[in-house]
Amino acid sequence: MKSFSVLFSTLILMLAGSSNILLSQTSSTGQPPTVAEAQALLDKANSELLELTNFASRAGWVEETFITDDTVFISAKENERLIARTTALVEQAKRFDSLDLPADMKRQFLLMKLSLTLPAPSDPKLRTELTQVAAGLNASYGKGKYCPGGDESKCMGIDDLDVRMAESRDPKELEDLWVGWHKVGAPMRDPYARFVELSNQGARELGYADTGALWRSGYDMSPDEFSADLERLWRQMEPLYLELHTYVRHRLIQKYGAIADRPDGMIPAHLLGNMWAQEWGNVYDIVAPAAAPATYNIGEILNARKTQPKQLVGYGEDFFKSLGFQPLPATFWVRSQFVRPRDRDVVCHASAWDVDNDMDVRLKMCIHISSDDFVTVHHELGHNFYQMAYRKQPFLFRNGANDGFHEAIGDAIALSITPEYLKKIGLIEKVPPPEADIPLLLRTALDKVAFLPFGLMIDKWRWEVFSGQVKPADYNKAWWTLREKYQGVAPPVNRSEADFDPGAKNHIPGNTPYARYFLARVYQFQFYRGMCRASGYQGPLNRCSFYGSKEAGAKLNAMLEMGQSRPWPEALKTLTGEDKADASAMLEYFQPLLVWLREQNRGEKSGWTVSADPLKSK
């Protein structure tokens, strides 16, 4: 069977090459292209790319849930096949560039080109090199571990390190964990530089200035317009972030003293309860209002009930079912990875998979029974229900309206995890009084608001790298310059260009565009407000739960079923009545907290000073 598989793969590649030759011969006859020919190419593309994507998805699933040299190689080869065929189809489609095509056909041709988040050179040797480098970077992250004191019996992967970073209040241990994990990035520096070089070559062959420009072209606007729109959204939310930063910094200084009290006003990154200081909810116990009324901890409640991982996932499924969605398929419960296996390396970073672009949806997590993973489950299932909703669209439309939409669906559902909802499903017996809103809003803001500048700077760094504005010799300097500028956080120890701290963040070696996560933080509040309105809710936005509302579910499903068949403003309007990304819903949600933070920060210095050399910690 192994020999047959190798032969079959070879034949596929040979047939793909033959079709290129035949089409080239046809197009060289001088006959003008026709709409019928364009439709025939699209039909072929939808069929072939569906099959190749499914092969690549299955290979990727095995590689991430059973990391070996062999599975890494197989996954790389399947990605290479998909990239090669997509690139060839994009080249063939150029024949129809000047043809007056129906809008849906034009859109499919454009989306086919934009689907290549890993554009590869047409040269087969370089394409093979790129996919192997990409697979190697992803595997290096997945196999990464930190062994305190060099003791291999105490080695921890990133999921266990996440737990320690969340729970420890020993600044020395936190620094050791931070430094230990960030060593995973250093060996990636040279391969990543080569990855950038090869990917840019592929992007230029597709007609884009670089890979970053290709990525920014996927939002129904020009790359420059997209960059400006992100900045516009950030400026809407920046005042709230500054107030949150000021408040958290002050409380951390009260807890840790001089370790947290930097003269430049920045916060040491290792003290925020998260390996990347991207979300700060894990330090809520340090920053909680002193006179706050008693509230609840979902993780503690679930652990007290001895909740198992599959049961945790069941809570997320039940929410979608309450909105009128069908249950997850039986195969989901059999084929998903819910816990870290004991016998092999896996990528534990949570992700949702659509293995056959139909109903074989899966969840890949190493679940801990915690408040964070309770929310993460709702987030990931949002992907799965979106995938199933648009499965009847042509393959090239089987995606979110844009990638930010895909990330926002489950988070909009998770915003409905209110006290009223928790009481309805029996996780709490009594709804906390209204004065408990501030603690709950603060806990939410520590994740949702604190994330915004991090979500913005990740791709800003990559766009500068792809464009050549940042050279490999300055990778780390540029990384920390942006983190200081937008986040106001600094490394706990001096860094250098011998380090490659971007590699310690999954989405860099995994080559996952990141602007989607920033957009999702904004979109989710728009989606949430739209569904609250559809449910008939009236009252403070932060107290709304549309659990059980078939009206809200119908509006949501109408948007999900569209997939990427229409420009995203039209999809947004279907659910919300609005056709522009707008942070006003997020500001409305957090308005009571903003008023409270301003009162708490009275007399405190706000903001920070960006250093001349961000690689020096102090």
Side-chain angles (χ1 to χ4, degrees), residues 299-319:
E300 291 178 359
I301 295 169
L302 294 170
N303 276 295
R305 295 179 175 221
K306 301 187 183 305
T307 304
Q308 298 301 306
K310 280 191 176 182
Q311 293 174 300
L312 190 74
V313 178
Y315 283 111
E317 181 195 33
D318 286 345
F319 200 117

Side-chain angles (χ1 to χ4, degrees), residues 76 79-80 82-84 86-87 113-121 127 130-135 195-196 198-200 202-203 206 211 214-215 466 510-511 513:
N79 279 327
E80 181 186 342
L82 175 59
I83 292 169
T86 305
T87 302
K113 183 188 296 185
L114 294 174
S115 69
L116 290 168
T117 57
L118 180 57
R127 187 169 60 240
L130 175 59
T131 54
Q132 292 289 349
V133 170
F195 168 87
V196 169
L198 293 169
S199 179
N200 275 343
L206 291 173
T211 300
L214 170 64
W215 287 4
F466 283 132
N511 193 47

Side-chain angles (χ1 to χ4, degrees), residues 601-605:
N601 291 336
R602 187 175 298 173
E604 292 290 332
K605 184 179 178 180

Side-chain angles (χ1 to χ4, degrees), residues 102 112 116 130 162 206 219 265 286 336 344 416 425 444 477 492:
M112 182 165 60
L116 290 168
L130 175 59
D162 276 346
L206 291 173
Y219 296 92
I286 298 175
S336 292
R344 62 186 187 271
S416 255
I425 64 173
T444 302
K477 179 181 179 181

Side-chain angles (χ1 to χ4, degrees), residues 525-543:
F525 287 90
Q526 283 187 273
F527 296 169
Y528 171 70
R529 184 169 64 182
M531 285 185 277
C532 286
R533 289 170 174 171
S535 74
Y537 173 81
Q538 294 182 341
L541 185 58
N542 62 286
R543 296 182 191 173

Side-chain angles (χ1 to χ4, degrees), residues 463-520:
W463 297 340
E464 291 179 359
V465 167
F466 283 132
S467 71
Q469 179 181 341
V470 171
K471 308 296 184 186
D474 294 317
Y475 277 171
N476 229 32
K477 179 181 179 181
W479 176 262
W480 285 105
T481 294
L482 288 170
R483 296 201 66 179
E484 287 192 2
K485 176 182 177 181
Y486 285 99
Q487 280 188 282
V489 303
V493 299
N494 291 343
R495 311 302 285 162
S496 75
E497 291 299 340
D499 303 302
F500 182 56
D501 293 329
K505 175 61 181 168
N506 175 69
H507 299 74
I508 301 298
N511 193 47
T512 303
Y514 212 77
R516 61 184 63 176
Y517 301 105
F518 174 85
L519 289 171

Side-chain angles (χ1 to χ4, degrees), residues 319-372:
F319 200 117
F320 282 92
K321 287 164 58 178
S322 84
L323 300 179
F325 289 87
Q326 293 299 306
L328 290 162
T331 53
F332 171 89
W333 300 101
V334 176
R335 298 171 181 172
S336 292
Q337 173 190 291
F338 298 123
V339 297
R340 174 185 278 276
R342 297 180 179 181
D343 61 343
R344 62 186 187 271
D345 287 323
V346 300
V347 177
C348 269
H349 187 87
S351 56
W353 292 65
D354 184 7
V355 174
D356 68 349
N357 282 279
D358 187 23
M359 292 293 285
D360 189 356
V361 294
R362 306 178 190 180
L363 174 65
K364 179 184 65 62
M365 284 183 69
C366 299
I367 294 175
H368 296 272
I369 306 302
S370 66
S371 299
D372 282 349

Side-chain angles (χ1 to χ4, degrees), residues 20 41 44-45 48-49 84-94 109 112:
N20 290 345
L41 180 59
K44 176 189 285 188
E48 290 186 6
L49 293 179
R85 191 65 189 124
T86 305
T87 302
L89 288 165
V90 169
E91 184 64 29
Q92 293 170 23
K94 289 179 180 178
F109 278 128
M112 182 165 60

